[in-house]
Amino acid sequence: MINILKKVFNVLSFRKLKRNYDYKFFEEDQNNKFKLLGFDRKQALEKLSIIKKKYDLIDRKMSTEHETLFSALSNKIDISKVEILEIGTFDGANSFLLSLLFQNSNITTVDLPDDNEEFVKTYGRQKDYNQFIQKRDKILSKGKNIVFLKTNSINLIKSKKKFDIIWIDGAHGYPTVCIDIINSFNMLNKNGIALCDDVFLTKPLNEDQTYRSIGAFQTLKSLENEKLISLNLFYKRLDVLNNCDPLRRKFIALFTKN
C-alpha cells in the first residue's frame, strides 16, 4: 500500500513539474551559459541544422545539447589541426558529426572490444548485435579522419598523446567515470577543452555503474575545489520531459585546465 501511494505521489508531482515548466527561462539560461564562454548558441544551432540536414543526421535519438556545444566550439577554435578524443563511440554518429564540424582534425574514438561482455549486454545490443556493429562501422568509415580504438578506456592511462578536445561519454559510474575524467585531465592540452556527458548533480534514482551516477560530478567538483580546473555546466536537454524534474535533470560538464 505504501509503495502504491509513493508511486501515485511521484506521478502527481511530475505532472505538476511539467505544468509549471518554463521552457523560455531555461532556453535563455542556456543561451547565457554559452555567452559566458564566448559562444553563440543561435549561430551554433544554425550551423548544426545545416550539417545534420545535409548528411541525414536529423532524427538521431542521441542528439542533445552536446552537439550544439561542439558546433559552437567549431566556430571558435583556431587551430590548424585539431586533435579530438572521444571516449564512448556507441553507434559512430557522434564521431562522424565531429568529423564534419572539425574537418581539419584527427579524431580518435575509443570503445570496448566488440566481444566484451559488458559491451554486448548494454544498450540492448544483444538483440541485433551484428546489425549494430555493421551499421556503426559503416558510419565510422564515412569519416576519413577517424581512428577507432577497441579497448577499455581505462587503458588510456598509458597514453602520452595530447588532445585539444575530449568528449567523455563512457560508463558513467565509479570507478570508470572517475578514471576517464582524470585521464582526460592528463591528456588535455594546456588550452584544451574537455566535455563530460550525463552529469547528475544529485544522486539519481536507481544509480548504477553504466548509465546513471553522481560519480562524474563528484570527481569534477573535487578537481574544481583544488583549483585544478575551471568548470561550467550546461543543460543536456531543454524539453519538458527531460528537464522539468531537478532530480532527473542531467547536465553536460565543460572543463579546462587552470
Side-chain angles (χ1 to χ4, degrees):
M1 185 64 179
I2 294 177
N3 288 333
I4 294 174
L5 289 173
K6 283 184 177 180
K7 288 181 180 179
V8 171
F9 175 78
N10 289 336
V11 170
L12 293 175
S13 296
F14 189 67
R15 286 179 180 176
K16 183 178 179 181
L17 289 169
K18 284 173 61 180
R19 285 197 307 270
N20 296 332
Y21 185 68
D22 187 348
Y23 178 87
K24 290 185 178 180
F25 168 82
F26 285 98
E27 182 181 43
E28 185 60 29
D29 193 30
Q30 187 84 320
N31 288 336
N32 289 332
K33 290 174 183 290
F34 273 66
K35 288 179 184 177
L36 191 64
L37 294 180
F39 296 157
D40 187 326
R41 184 169 174 269
K42 182 179 179 182
Q43 185 183 68
L45 283 167
E46 290 172 351
K47 178 179 180 179
L48 184 63
S49 178
I50 292 170
I51 289 177
K52 293 182 75 173
K53 185 176 181 179
K54 182 177 180 180
Y55 293 94
D56 194 27
L57 293 170
I58 295 293
D59 296 325
R60 185 170 181 253
K61 293 180 181 179
M62 304 296 285
S63 296
T64 75
E65 286 285 301
H66 76 278
E67 295 179 343
T68 314
L69 280 164
F70 287 138
S71 182
L73 269 173
S74 70
N75 287 331
K76 288 283 292 183
I77 199 162
D78 185 22
I79 302 174
S80 58
K81 200 72 171 179
V82 185
E83 293 290 342
I84 301 174
L85 171 65
E86 176 185 54
I87 299 175
T89 309
F90 190 56
D91 62 1
N94 193 68
S95 302
F96 181 49
L97 178 62
L98 287 171
S99 74
L100 298 172
L101 289 169
F102 300 91
Q103 295 191 13
N104 295 320
S105 66
N106 295 315
I107 299 168
T108 302
T109 184
V110 178
D111 212 330
L112 294 169
D114 294 350
D115 59 355
N116 180 279
E117 183 180 355
E118 183 179 351
F119 176 85
V120 175
K121 70 182 182 182
T122 50
Y123 293 105
R125 275 183 280 240
Q126 63 268 45
K127 296 178 182 178
D128 55 353
Y129 175 75
N130 291 327
Q131 184 180 354
F132 176 87
I133 297 298
Q134 291 171 7
K135 186 177 179 181
R136 179 202 65 192
D137 292 348
K138 183 178 180 180
I139 292 172
L140 289 174
S141 69
K142 295 179 182 179
K144 305 305 179 185
N145 53 344
I146 299 173
V147 174
F148 182 26
L149 297 181
K150 298 179 183 181
T151 184
N152 191 315
S153 60
I154 291 174
N155 290 310
L156 291 172
I157 197 170
K158 298 178 289 187
S159 176
K160 303 298 182 183
K161 190 172 181 178
K162 297 291 185 179
F163 296 91
D164 304 299
I165 299 173
I166 300 178
W167 173 234
I168 307 166
D169 192 19
H172 296 328
Y174 282 120
T176 305
V177 72
C178 178
I179 296 171
D180 284 344
I181 291 171
I182 299 302
N183 284 343
S184 297
F185 174 85
N186 289 326
M187 290 186 291
L188 203 59
N189 274 327
K190 183 178 179 181
N191 297 316
I193 293 174
L195 301 97
C196 184
D197 197 19
D198 291 326
V199 177
F200 286 90
L201 304 192
T202 58
K203 187 175 180 178
L205 298 172
N206 304 316
E207 187 175 28
D208 60 60
Q209 290 190 328
T210 304
Y211 305 108
R212 296 171 294 274
S213 171
I214 196 175
F217 186 60
Q218 290 176 325
T219 304
L220 291 165
K221 287 301 291 184
S222 293
L223 292 171
E224 183 185 43
N225 290 340
E226 292 301 316
K227 297 181 172 53
L228 292 169
I229 64 169
S230 294
L231 178 64
N232 293 271
L233 295 170
F234 300 84
Y235 303 112
K236 179 181 171 76
R237 292 185 175 93
L238 297 179
D239 64 281
V240 59
L241 287 177
N242 287 288
N243 205 50
C244 71
D245 187 348
L247 296 179
R248 302 182 188 184
R249 188 177 295 152
K250 292 191 284 188
F251 292 81
I252 296 165
L254 183 153
F255 69 88
T256 55
K257 289 170 119 174
N258 288 338

